[in-house]
Every structure is written in structure tokens, then in C-alpha cells.
Amino acid sequence: MMKVAKFGGSSLADAGQLQKVKDIIQADKDRKYIVVSAPGKGVNNNHKVTDLLAMCHQLSDHDLNFNEVYKIIEDVYKNIADDLGLAIDIDSILADVKEEITNGASYDFVISRGEFMSAQVLASFIGYDFVDAKDLIFFNEGILNLEKSQENIKNILSNHDRAVIPGFYGQEDGDVKTFSRGGSDVTGSVIASAMDAQIYENFTDVSGFLVADPRIVKNPCPIETITYKELRELSYMGANVLHEEAIFPLRDKNIPINIKNTNAPAKAGTLIVSNSDIKNKRILTGITGKKDFTSITLEKVNMNNEKDFFRKLTTVFESNDISIEHMPSGIDTVSVLVADSYITPKLKKVLEELQIYLNVDSISWERDISLIAVVGRGMKKEKGVASRTFTALAKEGVNVKMISQGSSEINIIIGVETCDFEKAIRAIYDEFYGSKQD
Ligand code: ASP
């Protein structure tokens, strides 16, 4: 049996946190491969080490002195090493990194050093081997080369019974290359998939996912199990406890991910599984949403008989580099929902082009639309979810502007006016998770 455990930045912020990490690892002998982030914000540090390194790179790139910023990084690692009485020579590791920054190391190289150093610190503290991610993770034209990485991981880690590995980076043609921010989650996932781990444990500072945003719903229930597909629907709409790309290497191998809390390791956390037969107590798994969309509505009689209508419509958005979020349609009308960030600077131009290219009868547009995603694998088999959802919204006086149900039947997307966003989420949550449900 073997588990891969990844610890996020807040779990490595100071000596106290590292002690918790050690206790967690030692509590289960199957936790053999450990992936770490760079130290995050903690009691004594207000900044993430990765952000500080990025700043050092920027200053050095402009031939400006970066000593002051680097000193904050040095203090983080030195305090940890001193407080834990570590045997590693942290001063010389820090000095080497500083020299590399001074000598013009690349951005990716510089921002990867937070993980590089924290993995050495933890390895020394728990007596595991340190294995550099540069030898394990490979990129091809900036994209993870999963097969090559898996092959190398298997070859190299089979020589290490226990190891700590820095997250976030690997190499392309010998040069350090990083994932996008938060990418240590992906490193852990690639290692778990390569080593056929029994489970990938992702330790962070929350006890998994919550059914709804706690800033909107008071004390929302935790999500016990969620499928990979449901998570895609929810993460796409804005929940970001786990890097989106961490799902793919594991999904096909049916390796579950357990999101757990370093500060409350006894809590079960959220289990992400591929098997949709595992039931939750409630039909809905999660409710989430996103604000700031614009809806552009086109009307044209007999639109559906024009074979090239939809092609032309999407061409206007594509050629303006605008992603379409949803496109609900009627017989003679279609609405296109797009994020404000894309459309706002180009609205006038897009409206003109739609009029010219599609020769529509009328165009109107509406701002301040919010989208709410109601997600649950249980919906597929259960009747009445939509009716309960919309009744709950109606009771609260929420005007529904748009409805779309994915063909997988695990989600319903509801467009509402932004002023109703929070009210709508609370109404749906109360309907499915409110006290009358217990
Ligand atoms: N340290 C990197 C970041 O802050 C990667 C990670 O923590 O996953 O984005």
C-alpha cells in the first residue's frame, strides 16, 4: 500500500506547521511520497515565498537591488531550520539561490526555488530522501508530458522507499519549467498516477469542499464525496481548493483524491472519486456561481432554418477572441452569454458585426447577469430537482433569466440578475440542505 501526500503552502509556513506535517506523515506508514509547496502565508510571514521570489526576479531583471525582499525569504527558511534544529546547511542553499537570481536565472527557475528549498527542509526534518522534480516532471512546448513524466517517476522513485519532492516544476529541454500557479497539486497528482498510489491526499488549510460559499451561506455542510465530473462543473464556476489540472492524471486510473486539513487531520475532508455510484446523503452535491456576465439576445424570424446562422454567430465571437459561456435558444431567438471581462471592451464592435454578418431583426443586450451552477450526480435518477429549485427561487422572488441543463444531467445552470445572486444561492441551499432536511 502506498499513498502520495501533498502539503500546500500554509502547511509549510513555519516550524509549528511543519511539526503538524511530520505528525501526519508519521501517523501512516503508507505516506511514502510527499510533495510540497513553497511556504505560504503564516503567523509571522505575510507573503507567499513564491510571490517574493517573483519580485526578486523582477527587481534583478531591472538591475535593481533585491536584497531586502530576499531577506524576507531567508528569514522564513532560517527560522524554520533554527526552530527545528535541522542538520541541512540552509545558509548555503539560500546563498546559491541568491547567486542564481543575481546571475540572471529565468523567471520559472527563480519562482520554482520556493518548492526546491521547502522540500529539502522537510526531507531533512522527517528523514526522507529529497528527489528533485526536475528529474521527474517533463514538459513539451510548455505542456505537461504525462507519459514521459510517469515513466521517469516510476524509474527514479522505485529506488527511493520514501521521498520528499518539490511541487510546481519540472523541466523542458534541461531548463526548469513551472506549472501555472498552484501547480504543486498537479505534481502530486502526476506522482500518484505514475506510482499507482492507493490514494492521493491533498493537505491544505480547509477540511475539503463546502456545498456552498461560506461567505454567502452560513455554515454550509461539507461535501463528503464528489465525482471528478461534478468537480469539473463546480471548479469551472469558481471553486478553487484544488488546481483544475490535478484531476486528469488520476481520473482514468480511478485513484481517489482526498482533500484534507493539516490543522484538523482527523476530519474526513472531501473524497473525489470517479465512481458515481457512491451516494451522498443529499441529491445536490454543490451550488456555486459566478457574477459579471452579459447576455446578448438576437432575434430573427426563421433563424433555425438558416443553416449557417450558428456558424456565423460563433465566428463573430471567435474572431474577437471571446469565449461563449452558454447559448440558450428559442425558435426565433438566441442569447449568447459571455463574461464581462471579454465583452466589455469590445461590445460595440461585436454588436455591429453581429448585425452586419447575421442581418438579424433585432439585437438587445443585458448586463449584470450571474450564473449559478446547481450540481449533483443524484439528479440523474431523481425526479423533481428542477421543480424544487425553481419553486425555491420563485418563493424568494428571484427572476430566472436563463436555464440550461447539461446533457450529462448532473448540473443545471441558472442565470439570474446579479442583485439576486446571493439570495438565489441561499434559497437553493435552504431547499436542499436547510434544517427541514435533517
Ligand atoms: N508555490 C506555487 C504558488 O504559490 C505553487 C503551489 O503552491 O502550488 O502558486
Side-chain angles (χ1 to χ4, degrees), residues 6 8-9 37-38 48 50-51 111 115 167-168 180-185:
K6 180 252 162 179
S37 285
K48 289 172 127 198
T50 311
D51 293 334
I111 63 166
E115 273 71 10
F168 191 36
S180 57
R181 294 295 303 267
S184 299
D185 286 344

Side-chain angles (χ1 to χ4, degrees), residues 93-104:
I93 297 173
L94 283 159
D96 287 350
V97 170
K98 190 171 182 185
E99 197 182 321
E100 276 158 326
I101 302 174
T102 311
N103 292 341

Side-chain angles (χ1 to χ4, degrees), residues 311-360:
R311 177 178 54 76
K312 285 179 167 172
L313 173 61
T314 53
T315 302
V316 171
F317 288 90
E318 186 186 349
S319 58
N320 279 288
D321 212 13
I322 296 172
S323 301
I324 295 175
E325 201 77 16
H326 288 286
M327 216 165 61
S329 66
I331 290 292
D332 293 330
T333 64
V334 57
S335 296
V336 183
L337 275 124
V338 285
D340 285 353
S341 53
Y342 283 123
I343 193 75
T344 304
K346 297 175 182 165
L347 183 63
K348 195 164 168 278
K349 178 170 177 276
V350 169
L351 292 176
E352 258 169 37
E353 287 174 13
L354 288 169
Q355 182 64 59
I356 296 167
Y357 202 29
L358 292 153
N359 197 19
V360 288

